[in-house]
Amino acid sequence: MKRPFVTAIAATCAAILLAGCAASSRPTSADASVLSHVHGLGFDQDDDAILVATHTGIYRIDMAGSTFGEPSGPVGGFTFDAMGFTTTGALTFASGHPGPVTSDTFQAPNLGLLASSDYANSWDAVSLSGETDFHDLTASPSDPYRIFGFEGTSLQRSDNGGSSWETVGALEARDIQTLADNADVLFATTPGGLKVSTNSGASFVLVPDAPRLLLIADGVSGDRFVGIDVDGVVWSQTDPAEGWTSGGTVVGVPQALMVMPASGRIIVADDRGISMSDDRGESWTTVWATADQAN
């Protein structure tokens, strides 16, 4: 049986194509100034590309092993403020505010939950249109229809792909992250330290002896977790029984963090732009430099 929003996405894509109102799915230019305001990172597993969610839309960097293409975007021609953003398998979710070049799908002042089945080339308004601005979103590949959204100090959960939501409690956090293999487990980086919920966000407890992380990502393979603390140090954990291992550092304030699903490669948005590391942050390669770094 098809899930409600998947059916809606298919209908929306067909309507856009028939109307001829969608921009090219392969934009050819990207202004590095957008890197001053990165909200999230995602991965296009079909075409091996990094997706960069910014204040002015979603941008992409195509990959071929360790070779990276020229950044392009905004994807689909949609210049919206993607405050909340996550990819899980072939599904992409976003929230935020509409921009100057967006369709009626992007309702003001807040977008609610948007969903895409083609990596941001087209979008479907799933729920809460005009009402909610999720500043962070996360979903697990083990159950992509369970979505957690963080708005202000309110943690919300959907168990049906975003069609309806339940407020599960108050939470003050910078980042939230589910486990790739368990949608019931949710981590949150809070002012009091790293916290974990094992009951789908209903309650949280502090993680003993964890570094004071600002951002966290599921390592998927290899490292169980990768995080960046308040001082910019990269931390990883392979086995909870063995504790955390410190690595290198980022530059300036990290804005977003992602771990590549297969390789374990770390992707970060910081003061340099978009950079990658294959050795837990001991060395970095910048694949898209900020305007200041490029000059």
Side-chain angles (χ1 to χ4, degrees):
M1 182 177 71
K2 289 186 178 180
R3 299 280 185 161
F5 82 86
V6 174
T7 303
I9 287 176
T12 300
C13 290
I16 289 174
L17 289 172
L18 288 172
C21 61
S24 168
S25 62
R26 186 64 173 88
T28 58
S29 63
D31 186 347
S33 65
V34 304
L35 294 176
S36 65
H37 209 152
V38 175
H39 296 303
L41 296 167
F43 180 60
D44 177 343
Q45 65 178 17
D46 292 345
D47 295 320
D48 285 340
I50 299 169
L51 300 178
V52 184
T54 78
H55 194 62
T56 56
I58 312 299
Y59 295 78
R60 64 180 288 130
I61 306 170
D62 291 306
M63 302 170 52
S66 296
T67 303
F68 295 82
E70 191 71 19
S72 61
V75 178
F78 300 118
T79 58
F80 69 103
D81 184 5
M83 292 290 295
F85 181 78
T86 190
T87 57
T88 176
L91 299 175
T92 303
F93 298 103
S95 188
H97 310 285
V101 185
T102 48
S103 67
D104 292 341
T105 300
F106 299 78
Q107 293 188 28
N110 299 318
L111 296 177
L113 182 73
L114 302 178
S116 173
S117 60
D118 57 10
Y119 299 106
N121 283 288
S122 62
W123 294 95
D124 176 64
V126 180
S127 60
L128 305 176
S129 297
E131 301 176 20
T132 302
D133 167 24
F134 289 118
H135 281 207
D136 202 358
L137 292 164
T138 186
S140 171
S142 67
D143 183 2
Y145 301 99
R146 170 167 288 176
I147 309 166
F148 293 92
F150 182 66
E151 181 192 24
T153 58
S154 173
L155 177 66
Q156 300 185 46
R157 187 187 74 229
S158 173
D159 295 324
N160 55 12
S163 294
S164 60
W165 293 84
E166 173 189 0
T167 299
V168 291
L171 180 68
E172 186 178 357
R174 169 60 178 84
D175 198 11
I176 56 175
Q177 175 68 57
T178 55
L179 285 180
D181 56 3
N182 191 336
D184 293 328
V185 177
L186 180 67
F187 285 83
T189 61
T190 78
L194 181 65
K195 293 184 177 181
V196 62
S197 171
T198 57
N199 54 9
S200 303
S203 62
F204 286 83
V205 297
L206 279 171
V207 177
D209 303 319
R212 294 182 64 83
L213 298 180
L214 183 68
L215 301 175
I216 187 169
D218 190 342
V220 184
S221 61
D223 292 328
R224 172 74 282 186
F225 292 111
V226 174
I228 302 174
D229 71 15
V230 294
D231 295 316
V233 178
V234 176
W235 292 84
S236 60
Q237 183 188 66
T238 303
D239 185 339
E242 298 179 2
W244 295 80
T245 301
S246 63
T249 59
V250 300
V251 174
V253 179
Q255 300 184 71
L257 170 69
M258 177 183 70
V259 178
M260 303 292 288
S263 66
R265 174 177 289 168
I266 298 171
I267 308 293
V268 68
D270 64 10
D271 286 6
R272 293 166 296 193
I274 308 299
S275 299
M276 71 165 194
S277 174
D278 290 318
D279 54 11
R280 297 173 175 171
E282 296 292 351
S283 62
W284 296 92
T285 298
T286 299
V287 299
W288 187 9
T290 63
D292 289 341
Q293 295 289 322
N295 292 332

mmCIF file of all heavy atoms in Angstrom, residues 151-181:
data_model
loop_
_atom_site.group_PDB
_atom_site.id
_atom_site.type_symbol
_atom_site.label_atom_id
_atom_site.label_comp_id
_atom_site.label_asym_id
_atom_site.label_seq_id
_atom_site.Cartn_x
_atom_site.Cartn_y
_atom_site.Cartn_z
ATOM 1 N N GLU A 151 10.864 22.458 16.670
ATOM 2 C CA GLU A 151 10.426 23.838 16.434
ATOM 3 C C GLU A 151 10.531 24.615 17.733
ATOM 4 O O GLU A 151 9.784 24.356 18.690
ATOM 5 C CB GLU A 151 8.983 23.870 15.934
ATOM 6 C CG GLU A 151 8.479 25.291 15.659
ATOM 7 C CD GLU A 151 6.975 25.348 15.442
ATOM 8 O OE1 GLU A 151 6.269 24.446 15.925
ATOM 9 O OE2 GLU A 151 6.515 26.319 14.821
ATOM 10 N N GLY A 152 11.454 25.574 17.773
ATOM 11 C CA GLY A 152 11.638 26.359 18.994
ATOM 12 C C GLY A 152 12.099 25.485 20.136
ATOM 13 O O GLY A 152 13.219 24.985 20.156
ATOM 14 N N THR A 153 11.235 25.251 21.086
ATOM 15 C CA THR A 153 11.529 24.349 22.198
ATOM 16 C C THR A 153 10.560 23.176 22.218
ATOM 17 O O THR A 153 10.404 22.507 23.244
ATOM 18 C CB THR A 153 11.468 25.092 23.545
ATOM 19 O OG1 THR A 153 10.156 25.669 23.704
ATOM 20 C CG2 THR A 153 12.512 26.197 23.614
ATOM 21 N N SER A 154 9.921 22.902 21.096
ATOM 22 C CA SER A 154 8.924 21.842 21.016
ATOM 23 C C SER A 154 9.409 20.725 20.095
ATOM 24 O O SER A 154 9.769 20.970 18.944
ATOM 25 C CB SER A 154 7.591 22.399 20.490
ATOM 26 O OG SER A 154 6.661 21.367 20.247
ATOM 27 N N LEU A 155 9.428 19.496 20.609
ATOM 28 C CA LEU A 155 9.777 18.334 19.803
ATOM 29 C C LEU A 155 8.493 17.662 19.330
ATOM 30 O O LEU A 155 7.622 17.327 20.137
ATOM 31 C CB LEU A 155 10.609 17.339 20.613
ATOM 32 C CG LEU A 155 10.983 16.045 19.891
ATOM 33 C CD1 LEU A 155 11.926 16.327 18.728
ATOM 34 C CD2 LEU A 155 11.600 15.040 20.859
ATOM 35 N N GLN A 156 8.373 17.482 18.023
ATOM 36 C CA GLN A 156 7.191 16.849 17.462
ATOM 37 C C GLN A 156 7.582 15.587 16.697
ATOM 38 O O GLN A 156 8.698 15.477 16.185
ATOM 39 C CB GLN A 156 6.448 17.824 16.537
ATOM 40 C CG GLN A 156 5.979 19.087 17.245
ATOM 41 C CD GLN A 156 5.144 19.978 16.351
ATOM 42 O OE1 GLN A 156 4.233 19.508 15.660
ATOM 43 N NE2 GLN A 156 5.452 21.264 16.337
ATOM 44 N N ARG A 157 6.634 14.650 16.639
ATOM 45 C CA ARG A 157 6.888 13.387 15.965
ATOM 46 C C ARG A 157 5.713 13.015 15.066
ATOM 47 O O ARG A 157 4.553 13.196 15.439
ATOM 48 C CB ARG A 157 7.105 12.271 16.990
ATOM 49 C CG ARG A 157 7.541 10.938 16.372
ATOM 50 C CD ARG A 157 7.587 9.818 17.390
ATOM 51 N NE ARG A 157 6.256 9.370 17.754
ATOM 52 C CZ ARG A 157 5.817 9.209 19.000
ATOM 53 N NH1 ARG A 157 6.601 9.496 20.021
ATOM 54 N NH2 ARG A 157 4.591 8.781 19.235
ATOM 55 N N SER A 158 6.046 12.496 13.893
ATOM 56 C CA SER A 158 5.035 11.949 12.996
ATOM 57 C C SER A 158 5.358 10.481 12.754
ATOM 58 O O SER A 158 6.515 10.119 12.521
ATOM 59 C CB SER A 158 5.013 12.694 11.661
ATOM 60 O OG SER A 158 4.135 12.057 10.744
ATOM 61 N N ASP A 159 4.345 9.625 12.786
ATOM 62 C CA ASP A 159 4.525 8.205 12.518
ATOM 63 C C ASP A 159 3.938 7.781 11.177
ATOM 64 O O ASP A 159 3.876 6.588 10.876
ATOM 65 C CB ASP A 159 3.886 7.370 13.639
ATOM 66 C CG ASP A 159 4.589 7.573 14.981
ATOM 67 O OD1 ASP A 159 5.829 7.730 14.976
ATOM 68 O OD2 ASP A 159 3.905 7.577 16.023
ATOM 69 N N ASN A 160 3.500 8.766 10.371
ATOM 70 C CA ASN A 160 2.881 8.444 9.086
ATOM 71 C C ASN A 160 3.405 9.319 7.956
ATOM 72 O O ASN A 160 2.656 9.763 7.099
ATOM 73 C CB ASN A 160 1.358 8.548 9.191
ATOM 74 C CG ASN A 160 0.898 9.909 9.707
ATOM 75 O OD1 ASN A 160 1.689 10.857 9.772
ATOM 76 N ND2 ASN A 160 -0.366 10.010 10.069
ATOM 77 N N GLY A 161 4.709 9.555 7.962
ATOM 78 C CA GLY A 161 5.315 10.311 6.870
ATOM 79 C C GLY A 161 5.025 11.792 6.885
ATOM 80 O O GLY A 161 5.164 12.461 5.873
ATOM 81 N N GLY A 162 4.599 12.318 8.036
ATOM 82 C CA GLY A 162 4.349 13.750 8.162
ATOM 83 C C GLY A 162 2.915 14.160 7.947
ATOM 84 O O GLY A 162 2.606 15.352 8.017
ATOM 85 N N SER A 163 2.016 13.213 7.713
ATOM 86 C CA SER A 163 0.610 13.569 7.495
ATOM 87 C C SER A 163 -0.016 14.163 8.751
ATOM 88 O O SER A 163 -0.836 15.078 8.681
ATOM 89 C CB SER A 163 -0.186 12.342 7.043
ATOM 90 O OG SER A 163 0.249 11.908 5.777
ATOM 91 N N SER A 164 0.363 13.654 9.915
ATOM 92 C CA SER A 164 -0.117 14.199 11.182
ATOM 93 C C SER A 164 1.029 14.178 12.187
ATOM 94 O O SER A 164 1.990 13.407 12.042
ATOM 95 C CB SER A 164 -1.304 13.385 11.722
ATOM 96 O OG SER A 164 -0.933 12.035 11.954
ATOM 97 N N TRP A 165 0.915 15.042 13.198
ATOM 98 C CA TRP A 165 2.001 15.228 14.152
ATOM 99 C C TRP A 165 1.494 15.172 15.587
ATOM 100 O O TRP A 165 0.356 15.554 15.865
ATOM 101 C CB TRP A 165 2.690 16.581 13.913
ATOM 102 C CG TRP A 165 3.420 16.655 12.618
ATOM 103 C CD1 TRP A 165 2.886 16.969 11.396
ATOM 104 C CD2 TRP A 165 4.798 16.382 12.389
ATOM 105 N NE1 TRP A 165 3.849 16.924 10.428
ATOM 106 C CE2 TRP A 165 5.034 16.575 10.998
ATOM 107 C CE3 TRP A 165 5.861 16.022 13.206
ATOM 108 C CZ2 TRP A 165 6.292 16.405 10.430
ATOM 109 C CZ3 TRP A 165 7.113 15.856 12.645
ATOM 110 C CH2 TRP A 165 7.334 16.045 11.274
ATOM 111 N N GLU A 166 2.392 14.748 16.464
ATOM 112 C CA GLU A 166 2.133 14.733 17.895
ATOM 113 C C GLU A 166 3.259 15.482 18.597
ATOM 114 O O GLU A 166 4.445 15.246 18.316
ATOM 115 C CB GLU A 166 2.076 13.298 18.412
ATOM 116 C CG GLU A 166 1.972 13.182 19.921
ATOM 117 C CD GLU A 166 2.130 11.762 20.419
ATOM 118 O OE1 GLU A 166 2.320 10.858 19.589
ATOM 119 O OE2 GLU A 166 2.074 11.563 21.653
ATOM 120 N N THR A 167 2.901 16.402 19.483
ATOM 121 C CA THR A 167 3.914 17.065 20.303
ATOM 122 C C THR A 167 4.293 16.124 21.436
ATOM 123 O O THR A 167 3.458 15.775 22.273
ATOM 124 C CB THR A 167 3.393 18.390 20.869
ATOM 125 O OG1 THR A 167 3.051 19.261 19.786
ATOM 126 C CG2 THR A 167 4.449 19.072 21.736
ATOM 127 N N VAL A 168 5.551 15.691 21.452
ATOM 128 C CA VAL A 168 5.974 14.691 22.434
ATOM 129 C C VAL A 168 6.640 15.314 23.649
ATOM 130 O O VAL A 168 6.886 14.625 24.639
ATOM 131 C CB VAL A 168 6.903 13.639 21.795
ATOM 132 C CG1 VAL A 168 6.122 12.783 20.825
ATOM 133 C CG2 VAL A 168 8.078 14.294 21.092
ATOM 134 N N GLY A 169 6.946 16.612 23.592
ATOM 135 C CA GLY A 169 7.501 17.245 24.777
ATOM 136 C C GLY A 169 8.321 18.468 24.461
ATOM 137 O O GLY A 169 8.560 18.809 23.295
ATOM 138 N N ALA A 170 8.762 19.142 25.519
ATOM 139 C CA ALA A 170 9.626 20.313 25.386
ATOM 140 C C ALA A 170 11.078 19.858 25.330
ATOM 141 O O ALA A 170 11.476 18.908 26.010
ATOM 142 C CB ALA A 170 9.411 21.265 26.554
ATOM 143 N N LEU A 171 11.862 20.532 24.503
ATOM 144 C CA LEU A 171 13.274 20.177 24.363
ATOM 145 C C LEU A 171 14.040 21.396 23.885
ATOM 146 O O LEU A 171 13.627 22.071 22.942
ATOM 147 C CB LEU A 171 13.435 19.032 23.351
ATOM 148 C CG LEU A 171 14.863 18.549 23.096
ATOM 149 C CD1 LEU A 171 15.419 17.857 24.329
ATOM 150 C CD2 LEU A 171 14.896 17.599 21.893
ATOM 151 N N GLU A 172 15.158 21.663 24.525
ATOM 152 C CA GLU A 172 16.069 22.716 24.076
ATOM 153 C C GLU A 172 17.296 22.032 23.487
ATOM 154 O O GLU A 172 18.050 21.375 24.212
ATOM 155 C CB GLU A 172 16.463 23.625 25.232
ATOM 156 C CG GLU A 172 17.299 24.826 24.801
ATOM 157 C CD GLU A 172 17.639 25.758 25.951
ATOM 158 O OE1 GLU A 172 17.173 25.501 27.078
ATOM 159 O OE2 GLU A 172 18.392 26.743 25.711
ATOM 160 N N ALA A 173 17.481 22.158 22.183
ATOM 161 C CA ALA A 173 18.554 21.422 21.522
ATOM 162 C C ALA A 173 19.068 22.187 20.315
ATOM 163 O O ALA A 173 18.359 22.992 19.716
ATOM 164 C CB ALA A 173 18.063 20.042 21.084
ATOM 165 N N ARG A 174 20.328 21.918 19.966
ATOM 166 C CA ARG A 174 20.926 22.460 18.740
ATOM 167 C C ARG A 174 20.771 21.491 17.582
ATOM 168 O O ARG A 174 20.565 21.882 16.430
ATOM 169 C CB ARG A 174 22.411 22.769 18.967
ATOM 170 C CG ARG A 174 23.227 23.091 17.720
ATOM 171 C CD ARG A 174 22.704 24.310 16.985
ATOM 172 N NE ARG A 174 23.520 24.629 15.825
ATOM 173 C CZ ARG A 174 23.391 24.073 14.623
ATOM 174 N NH1 ARG A 174 22.457 23.161 14.430
ATOM 175 N NH2 ARG A 174 24.183 24.421 13.626
ATOM 176 N N ASP A 175 20.830 20.181 17.876
ATOM 177 C CA ASP A 175 20.780 19.181 16.818
ATOM 178 C C ASP A 175 20.067 17.940 17.336
ATOM 179 O O ASP A 175 20.185 17.587 18.514
ATOM 180 C CB ASP A 175 22.203 18.829 16.383
ATOM 181 C CG ASP A 175 22.261 18.134 15.026
ATOM 182 O OD1 ASP A 175 21.231 18.112 14.331
ATOM 183 O OD2 ASP A 175 23.342 17.630 14.669
ATOM 184 N N ILE A 176 19.305 17.270 16.458
ATOM 185 C CA ILE A 176 18.682 16.003 16.803
ATOM 186 C C ILE A 176 19.026 14.980 15.728
ATOM 187 O O ILE A 176 19.220 15.331 14.570
ATOM 188 C CB ILE A 176 17.147 16.120 16.953
ATOM 189 C CG1 ILE A 176 16.504 16.698 15.688
ATOM 190 C CG2 ILE A 176 16.794 16.951 18.181
ATOM 191 C CD1 ILE A 176 14.973 16.739 15.727
ATOM 192 N N GLN A 177 19.128 13.706 16.138
ATOM 193 C CA GLN A 177 19.566 12.665 15.213
ATOM 194 C C GLN A 177 19.011 11.313 15.629
ATOM 195 O O GLN A 177 19.187 10.883 16.773
ATOM 196 C CB GLN A 177 21.099 12.585 15.186
ATOM 197 C CG GLN A 177 21.676 11.466 14.353
ATOM 198 C CD GLN A 177 21.430 11.672 12.869
ATOM 199 O OE1 GLN A 177 21.822 12.702 12.310
ATOM 200 N NE2 GLN A 177 20.801 10.707 12.217
ATOM 201 N N THR A 178 18.323 10.632 14.706
ATOM 202 C CA THR A 178 17.890 9.266 14.949
ATOM 203 C C THR A 178 19.008 8.295 14.576
ATOM 204 O O THR A 178 19.986 8.654 13.915
ATOM 205 C CB THR A 178 16.655 8.905 14.114
ATOM 206 O OG1 THR A 178 16.940 9.147 12.734
ATOM 207 C CG2 THR A 178 15.457 9.724 14.533
ATOM 208 N N LEU A 179 18.832 7.042 14.986
ATOM 209 C CA LEU A 179 19.750 5.993 14.572
ATOM 210 C C LEU A 179 19.320 5.436 13.221
ATOM 211 O O LEU A 179 18.129 5.299 12.939
ATOM 212 C CB LEU A 179 19.763 4.860 15.590
ATOM 213 C CG LEU A 179 20.503 5.103 16.908
ATOM 214 C CD1 LEU A 179 20.405 3.860 17.792
ATOM 215 C CD2 LEU A 179 21.956 5.457 16.669
ATOM 216 N N ALA A 180 20.296 5.083 12.397
ATOM 217 C CA ALA A 180 19.981 4.542 11.082
ATOM 218 C C ALA A 180 19.244 3.215 11.176
ATOM 219 O O ALA A 180 18.439 2.882 10.303
ATOM 220 C CB ALA A 180 21.264 4.365 10.264
ATOM 221 N N ASP A 181 19.490 2.450 12.231
ATOM 222 C CA ASP A 181 18.891 1.130 12.343
ATOM 223 C C ASP A 181 17.831 1.024 13.434
ATOM 224 O O ASP A 181 17.347 -0.061 13.739
ATOM 225 C CB ASP A 181 19.972 0.065 12.586
ATOM 226 C CG ASP A 181 20.820 0.367 13.819
ATOM 227 O OD1 ASP A 181 20.538 1.362 14.518
ATOM 228 O OD2 ASP A 181 21.774 -0.390 14.070
#
